[in-house]
């Protein structure tokens, strides 16, 4: 993009947003700010789930459509652990571990047998998502599972200027999102495994040729991606509850996030999640009837002007 | 939980039956096939499973036989969206060749399946639990029957109860589809007439899950909230509202405080105590037939086998609709000749004995029945249940208004800001 084009984009996109923000701030500052917080916290959840999805895609060119089911699996396992032990932190670890192990098994036992056949792998993950969702329905039934937040995160934080009161747990989502983001940045940019993953994203064949055990890198990445979905599941089980059908909802959200943000880019996932969170939440606050439309309008605009997503690179 | 296995076994059985039985399917002694359609996926998954239990109970009470002919139930699932419901109905009608179809569960689904029923005159459709007004108000279908009262009828009486509690201004938070429109109308028809005000209605997308934005919009000067969300969504709203520091009293729609919501897994249920709502069932109704029904439900589906402590609205409504089908079949001795002419005539005229009193149909084949206004209370064992505040009999579809004065509920109708 040239400088002029960039300026035009900034005006076309920025001006309506700025105008809306000024109007909304004058009209009802509390609603605007609360909605801002709501958007960013929801975006954090989307980011946690979608970052795993985008990592796996970036490295293996494999759209893991069972990602939503791993979210659900993590949430249910987390619920059971929290109920039996009373430790929410332990539930987080268990949700991560359960989904990571499931992801590892999927990668080693199934996907490795069809290495390089992207379409076949994708079809298999659709099948797996249905199997996992039905097994979970069989075990946990269609009941709504609402997980308790740990006592130190329960209830509202009061006496915040303008906003007055805000849910403590919800605010903590923002912290989780940022922490996961920093962790992924550290992992990808400061460790050897990260270097291998980045190299694999750019050129798989060269990575293998230079003597790296690609299978191991794939397994680790898939495990991490799946684990992040499970981790998101435990967090989501508190705020949004667990019920059959959540898997497809989060899968759809992840797909939109990575399409908008750019497949394979963690920074893209963060940007995509923020855009999706903002669009959904502001839509719901200011035009509830049409809130679903905004998400897809953004998707269409991004695909029209940046077909590979905002941070996407040519394959 | 082995109903999935059962579904599998039944579909295999159905497939075998389709293969084996050819032209003689209507001969005396051959089984009568009834399709059962409910949501086993999506936001009403728990309700749908309980609806299936209710319908199954009606079949079991007759020992699975009507007039010497075996009743064969073929189940299908949808996810509360109209297109999936029609696809499942198609599968039951066109592949499994059912004689009668009982279902679906959700409002929009009901309208879609009713429209589909017009193209299948050889099948009699009886509603499951769907409660959209339009289903039996506009473009009615001659072979679609509804023995349950619908969304607006279910809320009739709550308006007065709200005024009695001193709620003069109410904000409504409801999902954005046909059924909540009806529910809001049932409430507002009476509430506005008595002088209540509804300054703001928030219509949220079905299955939205994140209600924080709507919670942020609640005005300071309202006395109460009327929350018409179903299943998982109601639970999410309650949790998020409480966590954000909300403390206004709540009123619920008919499916907001149904048993599947009162019994969700998790602790924060106490905030529901004191919530008033209205609907076609009340757990604590003292009628003898109702108590017998509850006892029978508990015996057939104990909590250990996945049943609820008390049958949900969905179980009850599927039960009476299935019962209507079986009673009708019994009355005509299983005669399904001439496109079910005799059966349909009987269904239109019969007085159905239900656990909550007699139900008749109006000229659009829509039930005229009873509504309960209830309040959530905690019983001696610490379980949440409802207490009857008021029982309103013979609520018809136009809510006591003249047919020409009655306008169907929409986003903006009725309106009293």
């Amino acid at each position: 993009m040239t400088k002029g084009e960039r300026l035009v984009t900034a005006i076309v996109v920025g001006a309506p947003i700025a105008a809306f923000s000024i109007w909304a701030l004058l009209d009802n500052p509390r609603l605007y700010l609360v909605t801002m917080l709501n958007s960013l916290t929801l975006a954090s959840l989307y980011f946690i789930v979608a970052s795993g999805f985008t990592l796996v895609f970036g490295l293996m060119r494999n759209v893991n459509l069972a990602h939503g089911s791993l979210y659900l699996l993590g949430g249910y396992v987390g619920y059971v652990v929290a109920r039996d032990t009373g430790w929410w932190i332990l539930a987080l670890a268990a949700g991560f571990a359960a989904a990571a192990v499931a992801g590892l098994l999927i990668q080693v036992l199934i996907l490795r047998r069809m290495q390089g056949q992207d379409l076949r792998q994708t079809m298999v993950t659709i099948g797996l998502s249905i199997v996992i969702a039905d097994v979970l329905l069989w075990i946990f039934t269609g009941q709504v599972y609402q997980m308790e937040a740990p006592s130190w995160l329960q209830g509202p934080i009061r006496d915040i200027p303008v906003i007055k009161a805000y849910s403590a747990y919800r605010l903590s989502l923002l912290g989780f999102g940022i922490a996961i983001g920093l962790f992924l940045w550290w992992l990808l940019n400061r460790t050897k495994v990260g270097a291998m993953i980045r190299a694999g994203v750019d050129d798989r064949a060269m990575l293998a040729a230079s003597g790296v055990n690609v299978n191991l890198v794939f397994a680790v990445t898939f495990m991490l991606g799946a684990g992040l979905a499970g981790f998101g599941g435990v967090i989501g089980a508190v705020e949004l509850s667990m019920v059959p059908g959540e898997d497809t909802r989060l899968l759809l959200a992840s797909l939109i996030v990575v399409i908008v943000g750019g497949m394979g880019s963690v920074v893209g996932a963060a940007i995509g999640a923020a855009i999706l969170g903002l669009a959904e939440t502001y839509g719901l606050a200011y035009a509830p009837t049409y809130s679903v439309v905004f998400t897809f309008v953004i998707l269409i605009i991004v695909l029209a002007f940046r077909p590979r997503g905002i941070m996407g690179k040519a394959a | 939980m082995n109903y999935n296995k059962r579904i599998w076994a039944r579909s295999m059985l159905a497939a075998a039956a389709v293969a084996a039985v050819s032209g003689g399917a209507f001969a005396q002694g051959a089984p009568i096939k009834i399709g059962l359609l409910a949501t086993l996926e999506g936001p009403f998954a728990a309700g749908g499973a309980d609806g299936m239990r209710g319908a199954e109970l009606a079949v079991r009470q007759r020992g699975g036989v009507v007039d010497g002919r075996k009743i064969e139930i073929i189940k299908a699932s949808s996810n509360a969206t109209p297109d999936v419901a029609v696809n499942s109905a198609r599968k039951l009608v066109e592949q499994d060749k059912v004689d009668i179809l009982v279902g679906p569960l959700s409002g929009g689904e009901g309208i879609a399946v009713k429209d589909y029923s017009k193209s299948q005159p050889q099948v009699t459709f009886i509603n499951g639990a769907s409660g959209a007004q339009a289903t039996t108000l506009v473009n009615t279908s001659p072979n679609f029957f509804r023995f349950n009262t619908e969304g607006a009828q279910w809320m009739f009486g709550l308006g007065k109860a709200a005024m009695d509690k001193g709620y003069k201004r109410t904000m409504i938070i409801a999902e954005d589809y046909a059924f909540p429109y009806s529910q809001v109308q049932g409430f507002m028809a009476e509430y506005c007439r008595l002088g209540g005000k509804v300054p703001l209605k928030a219509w949220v997308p079905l299955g939205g899950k994140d209600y924080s934005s709507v919670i942020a919009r609640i005005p300071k000067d309202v006395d109460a909230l009327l929350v018409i969300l179903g299943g998982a969504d109601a639970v999410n709203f309650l949790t998020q509202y409480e966590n954000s520091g909300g403390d206004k009293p709540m009123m619920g729609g008919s499916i907001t405080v149904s048993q599947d919501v009162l019994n969700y897994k998790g602790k924060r249920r106490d905030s529901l105590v004191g919530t008033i709502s209205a609907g076609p069932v009340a757990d604590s109704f003292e009628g003898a037939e109702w108590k017998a029904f509850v006892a029978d439900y508990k015996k057939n589906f104990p909590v250990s086998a996945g049943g609820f402590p008390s049958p949900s609205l969905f179980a009850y409504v599927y039960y009476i609709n299935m019962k209507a089908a079986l009673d009708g079949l019994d009355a005509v001795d299983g005669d399904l000749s001439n496109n079910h002419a005799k059966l349909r005539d009987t269904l239109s005229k019969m007085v159905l004995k239900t656990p909550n009193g007699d139900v008749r149909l109006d000229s659009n084949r829509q039930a005229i029945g009873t509504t309960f206004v209830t309040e959530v209370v905690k019983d001696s064992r610490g379980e949440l249940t409802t207490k009857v505040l008021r029982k309103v009999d013979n609520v018809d579809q136009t809510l006591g208004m003249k047919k020409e004065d009655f306008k169907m509920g929409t986003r903006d109708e009725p309106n009293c800001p």
Side-chain angles (χ1 to χ4, degrees), chain A residues 139-212:
Chain A
I139 299 173
F140 293 96
T141 74
Q143 277 273 20
V144 183
Y145 284 77
Q146 177 79 52
M147 206 156 124
E148 282 284 283
S151 52
W152 44 280
L153 282 178
Q154 266 174 23
I157 302 174
R158 293 188 195 274
D159 302 320
I160 312 172
V162 190
I163 294 174
K164 293 193 186 82
Y166 197 78
S167 161
Y169 180 77
R170 194 144 177 134
L171 206 57
S172 78
L173 288 185
L174 201 56
F176 279 116
I178 292 170
I180 297 274
L182 287 176
F183 166 75
L184 284 178
W185 175 84
W186 171 81
L187 183 83
L188 290 175
N189 293 304
R190 289 282 182 275
T191 66
K192 206 171 161 211
V193 179
M196 287 178 197
I197 293 176
R198 275 185 294 136
V201 170
D202 287 338
D203 194 330
R204 272 185 291 182
M206 270 317 284
L207 181 66
S210 58
V212 171

Side-chain angles (χ1 to χ4, degrees), chain A:
Chain A
M1 260 202 259
T2 65
K3 215 175 168 186
E5 277 174 350
R6 244 182 245 156
L7 192 69
V8 170
T9 317
I11 290 172
V12 169
V13 176
I17 295 177
F20 166 77
S21 299
I22 292 167
W23 168 79
L25 270 171
L26 292 176
D27 181 56
N28 185 347
R30 179 173 179 268
L31 178 60
Y32 182 81
L33 293 175
V34 169
T35 311
M36 176 66 77
L37 273 180
N38 288 338
S39 316
L40 295 178
T41 46
L42 183 66
S44 299
L45 177 63
Y46 286 159
F47 169 71
I48 293 169
V49 179
S51 60
F53 188 76
T54 201
L55 264 185
V56 168
F57 176 83
L59 186 65
M60 292 172 222
R61 292 283 175 266
N62 167 16
V63 182
N64 177 20
L65 294 176
H67 201 69
S69 308
L70 294 168
Y71 168 89
L72 210 55
L73 176 72
Y76 280 129
V77 168
Y79 174 83
V80 170
V81 170
R83 185 192 60 195
D84 293 348
T85 66
W87 283 81
W88 189 69
I89 299 289
L90 209 61
L92 268 182
F96 181 90
V101 169
L104 185 68
L105 292 177
I106 291 174
Q107 161 65 14
V108 171
L109 298 179
I110 302 168
L111 297 184
R112 187 164 293 176
R113 293 176 188 278
M114 40 194 89
Q115 199 99 283
Q117 296 163 282
D118 304 343
L119 190 60
R120 254 180 97 188
Q121 288 187 335
T122 304
M123 299 307 278
V124 165
T125 58
I126 296 182
L128 280 172
S129 75
I130 296 169
V131 171
I132 296 175
D134 272 8
V135 169
L136 289 175
L137 177 65
W138 178 42
I139 299 173
F140 293 96
T141 74
Q143 277 273 20
V144 183
Y145 284 77
Q146 177 79 52
M147 206 156 124
E148 282 284 283
S151 52
W152 44 280
L153 282 178
Q154 266 174 23
I157 302 174
R158 293 188 195 274
D159 302 320
I160 312 172
V162 190
I163 294 174
K164 293 193 186 82
Y166 197 78
S167 161
Y169 180 77
R170 194 144 177 134
L171 206 57
S172 78
L173 288 185
L174 201 56
F176 279 116
I178 292 170
I180 297 274
L182 287 176
F183 166 75
L184 284 178
W185 175 84
W186 171 81
L187 183 83
L188 290 175
N189 293 304
R190 289 282 182 275
T191 66
K192 206 171 161 211
V193 179
M196 287 178 197
I197 293 176
R198 275 185 294 136
V201 170
D202 287 338
D203 194 330
R204 272 185 291 182
M206 270 317 284
L207 181 66
S210 58
V212 171
N213 184 348
V214 176
N215 277 340
L216 191 66
V217 178
F218 279 13
V220 168
T221 314
F222 208 94
M223 223 172 108
L224 181 66
L228 284 173
F231 189 83
V234 182
I235 292 175
V238 179
E239 184 64 21
L240 304 175
S241 77
M242 272 291 145
V243 77
E246 278 297 84
D247 48 345
T248 41
R249 211 175 64 86
L250 261 291
L251 177 65
L252 183 65
S254 301
L255 272 171
I256 296 173
V257 165
V258 299
I259 290 171
V260 170
M263 287 272 199
S265 156
V266 174
V267 180
I271 294 174
I275 291 177
L276 182 64
L278 286 166
E280 267 191 12
T281 326
Y282 273 98
L284 209 54
Y286 287 92
T289 311
Y290 307 103
S291 62
V292 187
V293 178
F294 294 121
T295 310
F296 290 99
V297 166
I298 289 173
L299 189 64
I300 290 167
I301 293 175
V302 168
L303 282 179
F305 293 99
R306 305 264 320 174
R308 291 181 199 287
I310 291 171
M311 298 297 285
K313 286 183 273 186

Side-chain angles (χ1 to χ4, degrees), chain B residues 147 320-321 323-324 327 350-354 357-360:
Chain B
F147 284 89
I320 60 169
N321 277 308
K323 185 172 187 292
D327 285 5
M350 82 178 172
V351 176
L352 180 70
K353 299 268 172 228
T354 77
D358 291 351
V359 166
R360 291 170 293 121

Side-chain angles (χ1 to χ4, degrees), chain B residues 325-348:
Chain B
L326 301 177
D327 285 5
L329 281 170
D330 196 25
V332 301
D333 302 328
D335 180 0
L336 293 177
S337 59
N338 195 12
N339 270 355
H340 303 196
K342 242 176 147 176
L343 173 68
R344 285 176 198 171
D345 191 50
T346 308
L347 288 177
S348 314

Side-chain angles (χ1 to χ4, degrees), chain B residues 126-376:
Chain B
I126 297 178
N127 186 47
S130 83
Q133 290 173 298
T135 315
T136 54
L137 214 52
V138 283
N139 276 326
T140 56
S141 164
N143 54 334
F144 190 95
F145 296 78
R146 184 153 70 178
F147 284 89
N148 58 288
T149 46
E150 43 81 332
Q153 292 168 290
W154 290 354
M155 290 293 268
F156 197 75
L158 186 64
K160 183 167 178 298
M163 289 306 275
D164 290 349
K165 279 217 163 206
Y167 304 156
K168 298 213 162 49
R169 293 170 66 80
T170 298
M171 174 182 172
I172 292 176
I173 295 147
E175 274 154 356
D176 195 4
Y177 68 103
F179 173 72
Y181 298 163
S182 322
Q183 289 253 291
V184 167
Q185 181 180 34
F187 168 74
M188 286 178 71
E190 201 183 25
Y191 187 63
C192 296
R193 201 164 61 218
L194 294 172
K197 297 278 177 237
V198 178
L200 183 60
K201 292 184 228 168
W203 300 107
V204 298
L206 180 60
K209 295 276 172 200
D210 187 3
Y211 296 102
S212 49
S213 314
V214 177
I215 291 167
R217 283 173 71 209
I218 297 172
K220 273 195 221 91
D221 63 344
V222 296
D223 302 318
L225 307 174
L226 172 61
V227 181
I228 303 177
L229 306 167
D233 301 335
V235 176
N236 279 323
F237 178 84
L238 289 174
T239 315
Q240 293 171 15
Y241 185 58
E242 227 177 38
N243 275 338
S244 70
D247 51 6
K248 293 199 192 294
M250 229 166 316
M251 294 183 274
S254 304
I255 54 171
T256 311
V257 287
S258 178
Q259 275 299 329
D260 57 326
V261 178
L262 292 182
N263 293 297
Y264 73 89
K265 311 271 183 189
K267 271 188 226 152
R268 52 184 75 239
R269 304 189 300 186
D270 287 358
S271 52
L272 278 165
V273 173
T275 303
I276 53 171
S277 71
V281 290
D283 304 334
S284 51
F285 177 49
E286 295 291 330
E289 287 96 352
W290 171 253
K291 288 195 150 171
F293 167 72
V294 173
D296 211 10
Y297 172 92
K298 285 183 182 171
K299 200 180 85 199
N300 276 281
F301 309 104
V303 176
S304 56
F308 292 140
S310 173
S312 72
L313 185 159
F314 296 112
Y316 171 72
V317 173
Y318 266 88
Y319 169 80
I320 60 169
N321 277 308
M322 181 60 91
K323 185 172 187 292
L326 301 177
D327 285 5
L329 281 170
D330 196 25
V332 301
D333 302 328
D335 180 0
L336 293 177
S337 59
N338 195 12
N339 270 355
H340 303 196
K342 242 176 147 176
L343 173 68
R344 285 176 198 171
D345 191 50
T346 308
L347 288 177
S348 314
K349 288 182 187 142
M350 82 178 172
V351 176
L352 180 70
K353 299 268 172 228
T354 77
N356 284 337
D358 291 351
V359 166
R360 291 170 293 121
L361 295 190
D362 66 13
S363 56
N364 287 341
R365 292 161 299 285
Q366 161 64 37
I368 301 170
T370 304
T371 295
F372 296 93
V373 179
T374 58
E375 181 167 0
V376 176

